[in-house]
Amino acid sequence: MKGLLKLPELRDLVGKGEIETVVAGFTDHYGRLLGKRFDAQMFVDDVVTAGGHACDYLLTVDMEMEPVPGYKFASWELGYGDFHLVPDLGTLRLASWLPKTALVLCDIEGVSVAPRSILRRQIEQCGKAGFECFAATELEHYLFRTSYRDAARQEYRGLEPAGWYLEDYHILQGTRTEDFHGAVRRHLRDSGVPVETSKGEWGRGQHEVNLRYAGALEMADRHTVFKQCLKEVADAMGISVTFMAKFAADGAGSSCHIHLSLQRGGKNAFAGRSDAFRWFLGGWIAHVPDVMPFYAPTINAYKRFVDASWAPTRLAWSDDNRTAGFRVVGEGESLRIECRIPGADANPYLALAASLASGLDGIANKTEPPECFTGDVYAAKSLPRVPYTLAEANNLFSESRFAKKAFGEDVVEHYAHFFRTEVAAYDKAVTDWELKRYFERI
């Protein structure tokens, strides 16, 4: 595939001076790409075989990079040592948006709570059940003509959206952002992340770039590279993008719809709405409350779940119906399930791991889905609703026997602490809403 590199190709490019830097990265809880930049010669001479190291506090920090107490995995008492980064050479690629740079994603050796490790274990379980998992993540974002630095100076108020009216599918508005979106499509293509389409979305300045589907791990890797590429290209152009699930209360949220199917023997195991399809769907729906923080990991994520806003609010499935949390699309070999619950702030490794674990449990236990819903799911007030807040979702997750069995008690304990920390940080914050509401009139 164009943009992906074999090790001999990298050695050749390094020898010619065409690659000087190799970025070796992994995601933290938030899905941020962390890691190191290696001298390219150092990478091919030593890191390829020996790997690298990073401080284990990186899987205990908050958004401000402050180490958070209370984790068993790493702490001041344990000395915050190193963990071992193992480059996955199957992810080695050009980073065409950066000069003379290659990029490789890493596994964190022996660390069960690392996001990529969590997904790897679910893929192994999928293989043991006789299936391969294929997925695509539809990721939306808002584009602003304000730079990241100026946005921070303005405290993220008064940003200039790239579009000034609702632009869903509008070619004219898309043309106005083609300087950016055309560039990222080309960079992604040239960096081993094949792109299908880009289009305007419903919000002002909102856009979607769709990637080709792939195996679940490769898809999570593509998603990670995609976000990094868009942010760094925007930064270089003096503009900004956000993957917040809900940027503005009066605007559409940004989603990460997950399209997923299983294959057996090279054929779609869901074709013909098979037992595997039905039970996978049943398990996926049934376990949403158990794993909701893996779909919606931030305080902001839950503000996206508003009726009649294109975001799902209730647990139901339907055929090609965008009001449902689970939308069944395609037929025959293209039949797949779209979960519309995750927002654009989801960590793709965790969201895909949650999806796969839930569906595989459905197959193992022959979990029947509810009846196919016809009509407006938003109007069906009797249907079970997604949790209202991260605190509520985390309480369900932390007590879930299914989550502990699927991911391990250590993983549930680790991430429940992470989500509690996020809730506690929000609970102490004084928001703009409070100032506007109470400053004068209370």
Side-chain angles (χ1 to χ4, degrees):
M1 182 185 298
K2 185 176 183 180
L4 293 181
L5 296 172
K6 300 292 186 185
L7 184 55
E9 294 175 297
L10 177 63
R11 290 187 190 278
D12 182 59
L13 292 170
V14 173
K16 293 177 179 176
E18 295 179 27
I19 293 292
E20 296 179 348
T21 302
V22 178
V23 174
F26 61 93
T27 65
D28 67 356
H29 302 132
Y30 293 102
R32 297 180 293 185
L33 192 63
L34 307 178
K36 295 181 178 180
R37 282 179 161 84
F38 287 94
D39 174 83
Q41 193 65 56
M42 166 74 176
F43 182 85
V44 297
D45 287 347
D46 296 320
V47 179
V48 164
T49 53
H53 294 85
C55 181
D56 62 12
Y57 98 118
L58 293 170
L59 291 181
T60 72
V61 295
D62 63 12
M63 187 65 80
E64 304 304 329
M65 302 303 292
E66 291 289 343
V68 175
Y71 286 101
K72 290 183 178 178
F73 166 69
S75 65
W76 290 116
E77 291 76 15
L78 294 174
Y80 286 125
D82 280 351
F83 47 48
H84 186 211
L85 301 179
V86 181
D88 180 346
L89 295 181
T91 71
L92 184 63
R93 67 190 73 231
L94 294 173
S96 78
W97 64 95
L98 298 172
K100 296 187 176 184
T101 300
L103 184 151
V104 68
L105 298 175
C106 299
D107 289 303
I108 303 177
E109 186 176 50
V111 177
S112 63
V113 299
R116 204 167 191 261
S117 302
I118 293 170
L119 178 55
R120 272 197 181 278
R121 289 197 296 275
Q122 293 308 315
I123 292 170
E124 289 170 7
Q125 293 303 311
C126 188
K128 290 177 181 178
F131 299 105
E132 288 183 273
C133 178
F134 289 85
T137 54
E138 287 186 78
L139 197 55
E140 297 168 349
H141 62 274
Y142 277 85
L143 177 67
F144 298 94
R145 292 299 181 187
T146 310
S147 72
Y148 280 118
R149 185 175 290 274
D150 285 343
R153 286 195 187 105
Q154 295 169 212
E155 297 184 328
Y156 305 100
R157 301 185 185 95
L159 308 186
E160 181 186 355
W164 52 93
Y165 54 81
L166 303 184
E167 62 183 80
D168 201 14
Y169 290 89
H170 281 219
I171 296 298
L172 176 58
Q173 285 284 61
T175 300
R176 291 172 174 143
T177 65
E178 189 65 0
D179 59 329
F180 174 73
H181 290 111
V184 297
R185 287 198 312 272
R186 291 186 291 274
H187 281 306
L188 290 167
R189 177 200 65 201
D190 294 344
S191 303
V193 181
V195 174
E196 290 188 348
T197 64
S198 65
K199 60 175 280 292
E201 268 294 332
W202 196 76
R204 286 180 288 275
Q206 191 182 32
H207 221 82
E208 176 181 274
V209 180
N210 286 331
L211 308 180
R212 292 279 189 95
Y213 79 94
L217 184 63
E218 184 178 351
M219 190 66 234
D221 292 339
R222 290 179 180 182
H223 181 124
T224 300
V225 174
F226 169 94
K227 285 185 72 174
Q228 194 72 14
C229 173
L230 264 66
K231 288 181 178 181
E232 292 183 347
V233 171
D235 194 50
M237 295 175 66
I239 58 180
S240 56
V241 296
T242 184
F243 293 95
M244 287 179 66
K246 189 76 169 179
F247 170 72
D250 60 352
S254 289
S255 68
C256 171
H257 300 153
I258 293 176
H259 291 248
L260 188 147
S261 65
L262 300 182
Q263 287 192 10
R264 177 186 278 147
K267 298 289 186 180
N268 187 349
F270 287 176
R273 304 207 174 194
S274 63
D275 287 344
F277 162 82
R278 194 171 74 252
W279 296 334
F280 192 98
L281 176 60
W284 203 354
I285 296 172
H287 290 303
V288 167
D290 296 294
V291 297
M292 187 67 182
F294 280 3
Y295 301 137
T298 67
I299 294 293
N300 179 255
Y302 295 81
K303 298 177 181 181
R304 174 173 157 262
F305 300 118
V306 177
D307 286 342
S309 71
W310 301 106
T313 55
R314 290 171 177 79
L315 300 182
W317 76 276
S318 192
D319 285 308
D320 196 13
N321 181 342
R322 287 182 168 87
T323 70
F326 292 83
R327 173 178 171 244
V328 175
V329 290
E331 55 186 46
E333 287 300 307
S334 70
L335 184 71
R336 61 198 184 276
I337 302 167
E338 177 193 33
C339 178
R340 298 175 61 80
I341 294 171
D345 54 359
N347 183 316
Y349 299 101
L350 300 180
L352 284 170
S355 303
L356 193 49
S358 300
L360 290 174
D361 184 78
I363 291 176
N365 291 292
K366 300 181 179 180
T367 304
E368 294 290 343
E371 291 294 319
C372 177
F373 190 92
T374 302
D376 181 2
V377 175
Y378 293 129
K381 304 301 183 185
S382 61
L383 290 172
R385 193 189 186 283
V386 298
Y388 281 90
T389 65
L390 179 58
E392 178 189 348
N394 191 42
N395 287 338
L396 296 171
F397 171 73
S398 65
E399 298 299 324
S400 169
R401 287 183 292 177
F402 165 74
K404 292 173 184 177
K405 179 181 177 183
F407 308 118
E409 292 196 13
D410 59 333
V411 170
V412 172
E413 181 182 35
H414 186 92
Y415 280 89
H417 183 63
F418 168 68
F419 297 127
R420 278 195 298 272
T421 299
E422 196 76 2
V423 170
Y426 177 72
D427 287 344
K428 291 186 290 186
V430 177
T431 65
D432 288 352
W433 183 89
E434 292 167 278
L435 291 171
K436 290 177 182 177
R437 193 171 185 90
Y438 302 127
F439 183 88
E440 176 185 344
R441 290 176 287 175
I442 192 71

